[in-house]
Every structure is written in structure tokens, then in C-alpha cells.
Amino acid sequence: MLEQLLIFTRGGLILWELGKALKGSPIDSLIRSCLLEERSADAAFHYDAPAGGAAYTLKWAFDNDLGLVFVAVYQRILHLLYVDDLLAAARREFSRIYDPKRTSYDDFDEIFRQLQKEAEARAEEMRKSKQAGRAPAVAPGKKQAPGSTVRGSGKQRSGSSGGSGKDDSDGDSGKGRSLANGSLNGQENGNKENSRAPNALIKGKENGAPEVGAFDVNKLHKLRSKGGKKTDNGVGGSVGGSVGGGKAAKAGPKKIVKKNRVWDDSPSESKLDFTDPSGERGEGPTEVVAADQGESMMDKEEIVSSDSEDEEDEEVEHEKPGTKKKGWFSSMIQSISGNAVLEKSDLQPALKALKDRLMTKNVAEEIAEKLCESVATSLEGKKLGSFTRVSSTVQTAMEEALLRILTPKRSIDILRDVHAAKEQGRPYVVVFVGVNGVGKSTNLAKVAYWLLQHQINVMLAACDTFRSGAVEQLRTHARRLQIPIFEKGYEKDPAIVAKEAILEAKRNNSDVVLVDTAGRMQDNEPLMRALSKLINLNNPDLVLFVGEALVGNDAVDQLTKFDQKLADLSAVPNARLIDGILLTKFDTIDDKVGAALSMVYVSGAPVMFVGCGQSYTDLKKLNVKSIVKTLLK
Amino acid sequence: MEQWLQQLQKWIHEVEEWVHQQPVEQLSAAFAVLIITFALFGFFRILRRSKSNTIVLAGLTGSGKTVLYYQLRDGSPHQGTVTSMEPNDDTFVLHSELEKKGKLNPVHSVDVPGHSRLRPKLDEFLPHAAGVIFVVDSLDFLPNCRAAAEYLYDILTKAIVVKRRIPILILCNKADKVTAHSKEFIRKQLEKEIDKLRTSRSAISTADLTSEFTLGVPGETFAFSHCLNKVSVAEASGLTGEISQVEQFIRELVKP
């Protein structure tokens, strides 16, 4: 049974409500984490009320013309098939009686009750007809029942419940349902369980079909995790093997010492090993001049050129002649008079052109798809303003959506946070995580340089105890910046090193501790576990994911896996996830800035820094407006 | 230089001759048209500038702006509100003034969503604002104190607010609850937070595009009396309808 059905305006006023009060605040969290995050094309939203409340599923529908939102809330364990139908019917009926001046709609109660009865009756009918169709197919079904259970339960793990009650004539669904027991209760449970399976199967089969719409990102990463689990055992084994092999080589006695080959021309090199900084080189730390390369670009104002946007006239030509139902003249008249109601078929060509444009700017494919779907949902049914074309409406909507996604939802004022931590008497800890080779150590040094310019005491912690040269690299940076560094050499547990570093920072009154970690692939289970242990043990103030701007579709995978592993492998219920993103190698991409959008969309974390070069001053803030302009150019 | 001057003199001479050659009526007609267009232009500009009778309701999400908006408009928050996704924009006569006799002056008020992703919408409405009501949740104040202070700081340092000296009313909403903080406490806390923000923001002010002005007197702890525009504090309760101080503020600004 439906817990609640709400109708409210986009401005926030509740127009009509049916049902009792809900535990927690599912509607607010739906708006905040789904509709405002441009995920409005998702099928459903799951909400867990905090402190042991109930688990709800929410479904919604928009009436874009009147600016209304219809939300249905029900318990997650129920799988009501008629909710989508009900929402569509409610939207139809309500838009008839809607009046912008009215604020109470008590007469809608009756209409709604009737709609609900009709929808339930329809759902019952459909279920009965499916049961009747299933009866002759019971015999062959029994053999394949175990196979389909595995498939069914496997697909059940993947994301949203279908709930559309589509009548699929596959034999598979019939076989799936034949698992139900003879008793009526068992049958109902079986139906409910398996109603998910065929809908998920539909999703799997109709991947290319336009009705299913966006490629389900949840499904994508769950599938990848299934495949990933098989491979990372192998990867983890090989990593472990190589480390073990390395240790064995060091422990074993050196039998034959290799002699240096001396060539005729070159002078003999007596010393080839430069890893020891002090002593032979003769350079003490006091002799190195502190690196002063001027003002970090973080503090420089970026001049945004305000060139006028040129209208893209090419999109009108993309319209296939087959899809044009109205003639050119009537569509012209309609665009002038402004009474055309936007249909999905109208939006498709413009959206496809936009999606292609986004993809040429290096936005991940599924992100571009989801965004376009979300914009389509928000524009469907809206009346075109006068003298506007479909393409310009879509463009403005997409621009607003992009601005909304890239605007950070929490303050990215690190200096303020550092001061707050200083007042509390503890150091502010930042952990840099990411895959191999993205530029963690380099950008860590840049951030340290910037902080130093604002009179903040920084300390580095070398928790990359795996890669050769990592500790020396940080040591060099620390020497050039003249800041203390805490290191314990190689082959130590990074979590312990970090813990001791923080204690040391407290002792010598450092304001900020920057923790460098080893790069790791997102599929590598043991390394991700080690990272999770580091984060949980030390509870840093900021977990910064370092990602390079060159990455394409892999950004989505990296961030989802990192977030997922951090959430799964932590002992506490409120796990620490990625708090911010540091985008590196921004100078290597000209205008293919899509990685920023993919990363922000997938993780919800704001981009706090942008690395744009290899010297200390090459650190910038993300200019949202210029990125949006570049993406849509 | 000499050549340019000579050229200029020659041109002026030619223009004078041409002007003298035209018939007088044509000249006067052209002149009249020019004057009329300029007059209309200037007139419309003046009209537009004085048309700032908008009251902007801003504040963090969950502070009660939409409830307050509907209280002002209809006298009751109806069946409740949820997080706004779009601004509420309407021109209406204040509900409490409907019973008054005499000339009723409609007020154009805008309720801007408080969600941080929708912050840029505030910039659309500020140019026409006659006054800003910054709504603060006095019940749940301390956890959100920093965020509220940052938002308020952003508003106070916008160029439009400083140049036009737009008055700001800090409204401590939900004052009917027992555990709500007093307006004096909230005022002091906000002043302290903004003082801290001043030091940390001015350090990166050249990169921070929104904060175009620095606040207050450097060297002294910040107080709202340092601002050029008038900042006042008041208490109200959106749900029960105790909004008399808000209405007073609005009436002062929107002169009949």
C-alpha cells in the first residue's frame, strides 16, 4: 500500500497530500540528492530513514508545464506495480483541476481514491493474466528453474525496481515464476520477488531500446564489480607475488657481484647510486634556498572572456525528415506564437546533438546519456516560449543543469576549515588518493606551497611506502619548501605511519598534515582495503581524490569503485567517502574538459583544485562558468 | 598634428555649409525626433531604476523562507512545504493589509531557494531588490552557523548590495519554539563568524570573484553597524504567523 502521495509545486508549496506522516524526511532528501543532482531520469529513489526507521522507495513524475511534482512513497519491501500508472493518471487528472491561485484541493481526494482503485484493479488483472499464461509452461520450466533463479537473483541485485507492469511474453519470466509454492501466500511472495526479475531482464535485453532510456549506471558498476572480483584476485595475487619475490631477492645472499662495464670514451663513474641525499652530495638542508616562485595561481583572479554565444543553427538540420510530423510552416508559426507543447520526439534530435557535443568534449558516455535524459524529463510537456526554437530551449536547460551540477554544494573554503581546526587544537589532515600516475605527489607539493603562502604551517607525511623513490620525492619537495616531513621509509604500514605523523604534527604545532598515499587501481581489493584502513584509522578532515583530466569513461569507474570500497570496507555505519576532487594535468587538454563533469556528477564531490602545470604555482580553482561555456561550445 | 587640425577645421566648415544648405523644416523635424527619442530613453531608464520594489527572501535551506512567503501572501502556510527547487515570485498585497482601507500597495517579493546548488539564482533578483530578508533558523542555529555566516557574508560583499546600500533584515525564524536562540545571541554569533571569515576570505579575495568588497573596519572586530547598508535583526515565527516585524520592514521599504 502506498504510504504517501504528495503533489507539490517546484517552488516548494505542498498542494495535496494523502497518507500519514513518514519517518525521517524522504521527500527533502529526494529533492536534494536526486532531483537537484540531475538524476531525475532514474526509475526510483531509495531512502533509509535514519535511526532504525523504515526503508522507503520513492517514485515521481513531473508536470513541466505547470511546474508540479508528483511523488509516491511506499515501503521498499513491497513491489507495487501500479505506481507508475497511478502517477501518470494522477498527473492527468490533477492538471485538469489545477489553478495557480488555488492552494487547497480537497476535491481531489475522491478522484484520487478512484484512480487508485482503478490502478490496483489493472495491476491485479495483469497479474492474473500472466498467471494464466504461465500454467501450460510449467513442465519445461522445472528443468530450467534453478538456472533462472540464479539469473533472477543476480539481476535482482542490480538497482531499481521496474514496477511498470509491462506484459512481457517471454517464456523466461514464466519459468522464473514457476518457483512459487503451491499455496496462495507463497505465490504472492514469488510474484513479488520475481516481478523484479523479469523487469530487470527486460532492462538487460532492451539495452538499446529507447524506452528504457539511459544506461543504468548502477547496473554498470555492479556488473563491473562482478567481473572485477574475478580479476582482482588474480591481480592481488600477482602484486603479492611480486612483493614477496622482491623481499626474497633482498633477503637472499648476494653471490656474484656485477662489475661495471667501462666504455672507452666515458670517464669512470665511481658513484651511481644517488639515493642518499645527505653526506656525499654535501648539501645540507640549510643551504637550499626555499622555493619562491611567486603567487600561486589559486590567488590570481581568472579573467573570463565574455564572448557572445553563437546560436547553433546546425541542430535544426539534424532533424530527420521522417520524424517531422508537422510541416515547416506550421512549426514556424508555432514557435512564433509560442504554444507548442514540447514532446519527447521534438527534444530527441536536439538532445542527441547535445549529447554528441558533450561526448566530443570527453564527457563519459553514460554520464552524457543520463544528463540528456534528465533534461528531457524536465522539459517534457512544457510550453515553448514565443520566438524560441526547441534547440535554444534545450540549450538553456542543459546550461542550467550543468551549472547546477558543477556548483559545489558545500563550501570549498579550505583556509576557513584549517582555521577552525586550529582553534580546536588539532591539525587539519588531508589525504590524497587516486590511481597510479595521476600526479598526487606533485599536486600535494603545490597545495603545500599555496598553504605556505597563507602563513599556515604544513607538514608532509610520506605514506606511500610502496613505490621506489616516493619518499625521496617528498623529501626533495619538503626541502625546497622548507617544511617538516614525517617518513618511515619503505615497507611500512601506511595507516600506522599516518597515525604517527598526525601525532607528530600535533606535537610540533603544524596546522595542516598532507598525507601522500600510493597509487592504486580501483579493482585491486587488498590495496583498497589498506586505503580504507588508513582512512578509518585516522579519520582525516578531507579525502581528496586526485584524478587526471585526460581520463575519459574510466573516471566514472574509478570514482564509483573508490567510493564503494570506502563505504563497504569501513567498520562504522557513516563511512567517510571522497570529499573533494583535485583535477590534474588540466594544461594538457585544450577544451576537452568533460572529465570534470563526469567526476563531479558521479561522486557529488566538488572540484577543489585544478592542477595545470608542473611548477609550484600551477594550482587553480575551478571556474564553473567557463567550464560550462567550454562544454557547450 | 598641424595637418590633423587643419583637416578637422576643413570638415567642420564643410558640415556647416551643408547644414546651412538644408531647408529649415527638415532640420527642425530631424532635431525634434532626436530630442524625443533621447527623452523617452532617459525616461524609461529612470523608470526602470526606480522600479526596485522587490523584497528578496534568502537564507539557508530549511530556514523557513517558503513558509514566510506564503504567510505574507495568504496568511497561512497551507499544507506545508518541501525544499524549493525554483524561486517563488509574485506581486501581491500583504495579507494583513487586505483589511485596511485606502490605497493598497502591492509588494513584489521573491523567495529564492536556499539549496547551495541554486545559489546563483540569487544574483538574478538582487539587481531589482529594495531590501533583503535573510532568514535564519534560530532553532537549529549552531550547527549551521558557519554556513549561514558564509552566505550572509557573500550577500554583504556583493557589489550591488554595497553600491545601492540595500537594507538587510536578519530574521530569526522559528522563534516560537522554546529552544530557539534569542536574536541578540544570533547577532553576536554571526558577527563573530563574519569577523573570522573576513580574515580568511581577504587572504584569497583576489581569486574569489563574488566577494568584491571587504567588510567593516579593518583592525576592529566586525559589527553590523560597520556596514554601509542598514542591517537590522528581528524575530518572527513563520508557522504561527507572528510576522509583524517583517511586515514593518517591508512597509518601510515599499513606500505607498
Side-chain angles (χ1 to χ4, degrees), chain A residues 86-133:
Chain A
L86 187 58
L87 281 174
R91 176 175 59 194
R92 255 196 331 262
E93 294 300 319
F94 196 80
S95 44
R96 269 182 231 160
I97 64 172
Y98 175 69
D99 176 17
K101 294 294 170 195
R102 259 178 75 185
T103 47
S104 71
Y105 294 86
D106 299 317
D107 46 342
F108 194 66
D109 287 347
E110 266 308 309
I111 306 177
F112 181 73
R113 233 163 277 154
Q114 198 156 4
L115 286 174
Q116 200 171 9
K117 276 188 219 147
E118 281 173 19
E120 283 174 18
R122 259 200 302 264
E124 273 297 318
E125 263 180 49
M126 265 193 236
R127 216 185 302 154
K128 280 190 193 138
S129 65
K130 280 184 206 155
Q131 280 184 22

Side-chain angles (χ1 to χ4, degrees), chain A residues 323-567:
Chain A
T323 55
K324 268 199 221 166
K325 288 179 205 158
K326 322 167 216 156
W328 173 85
F329 195 58
S330 60
S331 65
M332 234 352 93
I333 293 280
Q334 273 195 334
S335 79
I336 293 179
S337 64
N339 275 330
V341 174
L342 280 173
E343 295 288 322
K344 206 145 189 162
S345 52
D346 298 334
L347 296 169
Q348 282 302 71
L351 277 178
K352 184 154 177 357
L354 257 180
K355 181 184 160 196
D356 289 335
R357 213 184 321 169
L358 282 179
M359 277 171 55
T360 57
K361 293 283 161 61
N362 204 21
V363 179
E365 198 254 333
E366 49 259 24
I367 303 293
E369 180 75 49
K370 281 205 130 197
L371 260 178
C372 289
E373 281 292 311
S374 171
V375 169
T377 330
S378 74
L379 281 181
E380 230 177 289
K382 212 175 187 167
K383 286 214 174 63
L384 267 181
S386 52
F387 287 105
T388 49
R389 289 178 297 167
V390 177
S391 53
S392 46
T393 324
V394 171
Q395 180 107 343
T396 5
M398 179 60 97
E399 217 177 286
E400 265 186 41
L402 288 178
L403 259 173
R404 240 204 315 254
I405 296 177
L406 287 171
T407 310
K409 65 179 166 194
R410 52 182 199 84
S411 149
I412 54 174
D413 195 354
I414 301 212
L415 295 176
R416 182 82 191 78
D417 292 334
V418 169
H419 282 132
K422 201 169 168 177
E423 277 165 28
Q424 293 176 8
R426 54 179 184 83
Y428 187 80
V429 182
V430 184
V431 178
F432 289 72
V433 304
V435 302
N436 312 66
V438 291
K440 288 185 290 299
S441 308
T442 315
N443 284 280
L444 187 148
K446 287 188 213 164
V447 172
Y449 182 75
W450 174 65
L451 287 172
L452 276 177
Q453 295 211 307
H454 292 287
Q455 286 85 41
I456 295 179
N457 297 328
V458 187
M459 190 170 107
L460 305 184
C463 295
D464 183 355
T465 54
F466 175 66
R467 198 193 80 196
S468 317
V471 178
E472 277 78 16
Q473 184 181 10
L474 274 189
R475 214 184 281 160
T476 313
H477 281 304
R479 205 163 6 126
R480 288 187 73 189
L481 295 171
Q482 304 218 311
I483 51 180
I485 172 171
F486 185 85
E487 41 151 345
K488 283 277 181 205
Y490 295 96
E491 309 286 335
K492 300 288 187 303
D493 187 0
I496 310 286
V497 178
K499 200 179 180 74
E500 293 175 10
I502 297 175
L503 288 174
E504 175 77 26
K506 212 182 280 196
R507 243 176 289 148
N508 65 12
N509 281 328
S510 294
D511 303 325
V512 180
V513 181
L514 299 177
V515 178
D516 187 23
T517 61
R520 60 204 74 211
M521 290 304 289
Q522 66 268 23
D523 296 326
N524 195 328
E525 182 86 25
L527 291 186
M528 293 307 293
R529 202 172 292 137
L531 180 67
S532 178
K533 178 182 165 199
L534 191 152
I535 290 181
N536 290 324
L537 195 63
N538 298 302
N539 205 15
D541 294 290
L542 185 66
V543 178
L544 213 51
F545 177 82
V546 184
E548 52 182 16
L550 295 159
V551 77
N553 285 335
D554 201 34
V556 175
D557 191 47
Q558 283 176 15
L559 267 170
T560 38
K561 289 259 183 65
F562 264 81
D563 264 342
Q564 191 190 347
K565 291 290 162 64
L566 286 178

Side-chain angles (χ1 to χ4, degrees), chain A residues 10-11 28 299 405 409 416, chain B residues 83-85 116-117 193 206:
Chain A
R10 287 191 84 103
D28 277 335
D299 303 326
I405 296 177
K409 65 179 166 194
R416 182 82 191 78
Chain B
T83 311
S84 313
M85 291 192 275
S116 31
R117 290 209 190 252
E193 285 290 331
T206 45

Side-chain angles (χ1 to χ4, degrees), chain B residues 64-88:
Chain B
K65 301 178 290 296
T66 310
V67 168
L68 204 64
Y69 176 83
Y70 281 104
Q71 274 282 6
L72 284 173
R73 195 181 89 156
D74 303 325
S76 92
H78 306 291
Q79 290 157 32
T81 56
V82 291
T83 311
S84 313
M85 291 192 275
E86 278 179 6
N88 286 319

Side-chain angles (χ1 to χ4, degrees), chain B residues 196-213:
Chain B
K196 285 188 222 161
L197 269 176
R198 262 198 319 160
T199 42
S200 74
R201 281 294 178 92
S202 59
I204 48 173
S205 64
T206 45
D208 208 336
L209 294 168
T210 52
S211 92
E212 292 135 5
F213 287 83

